[in-house]
């Protein structure tokens, strides 16, 4: 059998945004990154260094300006929006910084909704949602809506939603930023253990040293240098 393709492979990735003054502000410039299956990586960087943008690019929420992103050997870059949505649903779990739970739905419905877009052979959505909520200790709160749960509990529902489909790769955006130190550590324990059980690779972006030091493999992200101003002035 051929060696398994990595969970994530990035080459020559670039992204910038149009600046209000005209021109383009480079935000992500990542020549190379490989994350093997079931491996873990912390990406550190100050606020504004492009961490969230990088996750949006990997997840296909934003299109790249240049470069390649492969998820489990499948090319994300170059696909249209609908195909990116499908690839994301099949392969990724995403933990948003602000959880993004749907306010009108219960914990169980939020987790189940994540499964709807994640058709995976051998995983019955209701069974998978139940098991994920049991795993994060919230099965008895399954009928609660997000506003009826504590912030820590909301984060655990979001973890259940991201992991229920046993994704190839989990992307987590500053998962502890809304939690105190003790709950942040508990959240990271849960996330790392759950990823090990589902055999998911884990990429966490953070500016919190307490999170980053948990990881053997760390990458520091810096905002790319702004493009030089045109010469001949001053
Ligand atoms: N949609 C956008 N349009 C313009 N600029 C953006 C957009 N999204 C992010 N940026 C800019 O890109 C930079 C990096 O943002 P972000 O990826 O959110 O950083 P981080 O998550 O590391 O704090 C910031 O300067 C931000 O203002
Ligand atoms: Mg961010």
């Amino acid at each position: 059998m051929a060696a398994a393709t990595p969970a994530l492979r990035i080459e020559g990735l670039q992204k910038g945004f149009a600046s209000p003054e005209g021109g383009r502000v480079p935000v992500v410039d990542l020549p190379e990154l490989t994350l093997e299956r079931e491996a873990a990586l912390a990406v550190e960087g100050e606020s504004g260094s492009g961490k969230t943008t990088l996750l949006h690019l990997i997840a296909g929420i934003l299109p790249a300006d240049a470069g390649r992103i492969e998820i489990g050997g499948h090319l994300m870059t170059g696909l249209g929006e609908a195909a990116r949505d499908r690839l994301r649903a099949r392969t990724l779990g995403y933990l948003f910084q602000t959880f993004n739970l749907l306010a009108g739905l219960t914990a169980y419905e939020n987790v189940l909704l994540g499964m709807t877009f994640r058709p995976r052979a051998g995983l019955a959505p209701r069974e998978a949602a139940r098991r994920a909520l049991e795993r994060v200790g919230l099965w008895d709160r399954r009928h609660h809506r997000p506003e009826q749960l504590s912030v820590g509990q909301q984060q655990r529902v979001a973890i259940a939603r991201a992991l229920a489909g046993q994704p190839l790769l989990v992307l987590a955006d500053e998962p502890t930023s809304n939690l105190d130190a003790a709950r942040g550590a508990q959240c990271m324990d849960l996330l790392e253990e759950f990823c090990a059980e589902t055999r998911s690779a884990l990429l966490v972006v953070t500016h919190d040293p307490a999170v980053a030091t948990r990881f053997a493999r760390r990458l520091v992200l810096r905002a790319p240098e702004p493009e030089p101003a045109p010469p001949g002035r001053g």
Side-chain angles (χ1 to χ4, degrees):
M1 204 177 89
T5 50
L8 174 66
R9 172 88 194 135
I10 292 178
E11 287 170 25
L13 182 64
Q14 292 185 354
K15 180 71 178 177
F17 294 106
S19 86
E21 297 82 38
R24 176 179 166 277
V25 182
V27 169
V28 172
D29 183 358
L30 189 55
E32 196 274 321
L33 176 67
T34 301
L35 186 62
E36 299 299 337
R37 288 178 187 237
E38 302 182 44
L41 170 72
V43 174
E44 300 171 75
E46 296 298 312
S47 183
S49 59
K51 301 184 298 298
T52 296
T53 304
L54 174 64
L55 293 189
H56 285 171
L57 292 169
I58 295 170
I61 294 168
L62 277 177
D65 294 344
R68 289 171 68 86
I69 299 172
E70 284 178 27
I71 317 283
H74 300 281
L75 198 60
M76 176 67 87
T77 38
L79 298 177
E81 196 175 335
R84 295 203 307 268
D85 289 347
R86 280 197 298 276
L87 181 55
R88 179 189 323 123
R90 286 213 323 269
T91 58
L92 296 181
Y94 200 111
L95 203 53
F96 293 90
Q97 185 167 6
T98 51
F99 314 149
N100 285 15
L101 297 176
L102 291 178
L105 300 185
T106 66
Y108 178 69
E109 289 164 345
N110 266 283
V111 176
L112 194 59
L113 193 66
M115 292 296 301
T116 317
F117 302 109
R118 194 182 299 283
R120 205 183 221 229
L123 269 186
R126 288 175 177 281
E127 171 68 7
R130 181 180 63 76
R131 270 196 261 160
L133 272 174
E134 282 174 354
R135 177 62 186 84
V136 302
L138 288 175
W139 179 242
D140 63 339
R141 305 291 163 92
R142 63 191 174 278
H143 299 309
H144 291 228
R145 289 189 301 278
E147 79 272 12
Q148 298 168 318
L149 298 168
S150 72
V151 172
Q153 289 170 337
Q154 290 176 38
Q155 178 66 303
R156 278 150 62 202
V157 173
I159 290 173
R161 183 179 60 182
L163 274 287
Q166 303 178 3
L168 179 68
L169 170 64
V170 172
L171 304 173
D173 195 346
E174 313 226 23
T176 63
S177 59
N178 292 300
L179 307 175
D180 62 35
R183 284 198 176 74
Q186 285 168 10
C187 163
M188 288 306 300
D189 287 344
L190 176 63
L191 185 59
E192 290 177 46
E193 289 164 15
F194 202 164
C195 280
E197 290 159 20
T198 57
R199 306 183 65 182
S200 305
L202 173 62
L203 193 164
V204 172
V205 305
T206 185
H207 72 267
D208 181 354
V211 171
T213 52
R214 301 172 64 101
F215 290 79
R217 188 162 168 226
R218 293 157 69 171
L219 170 76
V220 177
L221 211 61
R222 288 196 179 78
E225 291 293 315
E227 280 154 18
R233 282 200 297 164

Coordinates of all heavy atoms in Angstrom, one line a residue, residues 29 41 45 53 62 81 87-88 96 107 131 138-140 142 171 201 210 218 224 226:
D29 N 1.8 34.5 4.0 CA 2.8 34.1 3.0 C 3.5 32.9 3.7 O 4.4 33.0 4.5 CB 3.8 35.2 2.8 CG 4.9 34.8 1.8 OD1 4.8 33.7 1.3 OD2 5.7 35.7 1.5
L41 N -0.1 20.3 15.7 CA 0.8 21.5 15.5 C 0.1 22.7 16.1 O -1.1 22.9 15.9 CB 0.9 21.7 14.0 CG 1.6 23.0 13.5 CD1 3.1 23.0 13.8 CD2 1.4 23.2 12.0
G45 N 1.1 33.3 16.8 CA 1.3 34.6 16.2 C 0.5 35.7 16.9 O -0.6 35.4 17.5
T53 N -7.1 34.0 9.1 CA -7.1 34.0 7.6 C -6.5 32.7 7.1 O -7.0 32.0 6.2 CB -6.3 35.2 7.0 OG1 -6.8 36.4 7.5 CG2 -6.3 35.2 5.5
L62 N -12.2 30.9 2.4 CA -11.7 32.0 1.6 C -10.8 31.4 0.5 O -10.1 30.4 0.7 CB -10.7 32.9 2.4 CG -11.2 34.0 3.3 CD1 -10.0 34.6 4.0 CD2 -11.9 35.0 2.4
E81 N -16.6 27.4 -5.1 CA -17.1 27.4 -3.7 C -17.9 26.2 -3.3 O -17.7 25.6 -2.2 CB -18.0 28.7 -3.6 CG -18.2 29.0 -2.1 CD -19.0 30.3 -2.0 OE1 -19.0 31.2 -2.9 OE2 -19.7 30.5 -0.9
L87 N -15.6 19.4 0.1 CA -14.3 18.9 0.6 C -14.2 19.2 2.1 O -13.8 18.3 2.9 CB -13.2 19.5 -0.2 CG -11.8 19.0 0.2 CD1 -11.7 17.4 0.1 CD2 -10.7 19.6 -0.7
R88 N -14.6 20.4 2.5 CA -14.5 20.8 3.9 C -15.4 19.8 4.7 O -15.0 19.3 5.8 CB -15.0 22.2 4.1 CG -15.0 22.7 5.6 CD -15.7 24.0 5.7 NE -15.4 24.9 4.7 CZ -16.3 25.5 3.9 NH1 -17.6 25.4 4.2 NH2 -16.0 26.3 2.9
F96 N -14.5 27.3 15.8 CA -14.5 28.7 15.6 C -14.1 29.4 17.0 O -14.6 29.0 18.0 CB -15.8 29.3 15.1 CG -16.1 28.8 13.7 CD1 -16.8 27.7 13.5 CD2 -15.7 29.6 12.6 CE1 -17.1 27.2 12.2 CE2 -16.0 29.1 11.3 CZ -16.7 28.0 11.1
A107 N -28.3 21.8 21.8 CA -26.9 21.3 21.7 C -26.9 20.1 20.7 O -26.1 20.0 19.8 CB -26.4 20.9 23.1
R131 N -22.9 10.1 20.5 CA -21.6 9.7 21.1 C -20.7 10.8 21.4 O -20.0 10.9 22.4 CB -20.9 8.7 20.2 CG -21.3 7.2 20.5 CD -20.4 6.2 19.9 NE -21.0 5.7 18.6 CZ -20.2 5.1 17.7 NH1 -18.9 5.1 17.8 NH2 -20.8 4.7 16.6
L138 N -22.0 16.1 27.9 CA -23.1 17.0 27.8 C -24.4 16.3 27.3 O -25.3 17.0 26.8 CB -22.8 18.2 27.0 CG -21.8 19.2 27.6 CD1 -21.5 20.3 26.6 CD2 -22.4 19.8 28.9
W139 N -24.4 15.0 27.3 CA -25.6 14.3 26.8 C -26.8 14.7 27.6 O -27.9 14.9 27.0 CB -25.4 12.8 26.8 CG -26.6 12.1 26.3 CD1 -27.3 11.2 27.0 CD2 -27.2 12.1 25.0 NE1 -28.3 10.7 26.2 CE2 -28.3 11.2 25.0 CE3 -26.9 12.8 23.8 CZ2 -29.1 11.0 23.9 CZ3 -27.7 12.6 22.7 CH2 -28.7 11.7 22.7
D140 N -26.7 14.9 28.9 CA -27.8 15.3 29.7 C -28.2 16.8 29.5 O -29.3 17.2 29.9 CB -27.5 15.1 31.2 CG -26.4 15.9 31.7 OD1 -25.6 16.4 30.9 OD2 -26.3 16.2 32.9
R142 N -28.5 17.9 26.3 CA -28.7 17.9 24.8 C -29.8 18.8 24.4 O -29.8 19.2 23.2 CB -28.8 16.5 24.3 CG -30.1 15.8 24.8 CD -30.0 14.3 24.5 NE -31.1 13.5 25.0 CZ -31.1 13.0 26.3 NH1 -30.1 13.3 27.1 NH2 -32.1 12.3 26.7
L171 N -9.3 22.0 12.8 CA -8.7 23.3 12.8 C -9.4 24.1 14.0 O -10.6 24.1 14.1 CB -9.1 24.1 11.5 CG -8.6 23.4 10.2 CD1 -9.1 24.2 9.0 CD2 -7.1 23.3 10.2
A201 N -5.9 14.7 12.8 CA -4.8 15.6 13.0 C -5.4 16.9 13.6 O -6.5 17.2 13.4 CB -4.1 15.9 11.6
A210 N 0.4 29.5 27.0 CA 0.0 28.3 27.7 C -0.6 27.2 26.8 O -0.4 26.0 27.1 CB -1.1 28.7 28.8
R218 N 5.7 23.5 16.9 CA 5.2 24.8 16.9 C 5.7 25.6 15.7 O 6.9 25.4 15.3 CB 5.5 25.5 18.2 CG 4.9 24.9 19.4 CD 5.7 25.2 20.6 NE 5.6 26.6 21.0 CZ 6.0 27.1 22.2 NH1 6.5 26.2 23.1 NH2 5.9 28.3 22.5
P224 N 3.3 39.1 6.8 CA 4.3 39.4 5.7 C 4.7 40.9 5.7 O 3.8 41.7 6.1 CB 3.6 39.0 4.4 CG 2.5 38.1 4.8 CD 2.1 38.6 6.2
P226 N 4.9 44.5 4.4 CA 4.0 45.2 3.5 C 4.8 45.4 2.2 O 6.1 45.5 2.2 CB 3.7 46.6 4.1 CG 4.1 46.4 5.6 CD 5.1 45.3 5.6

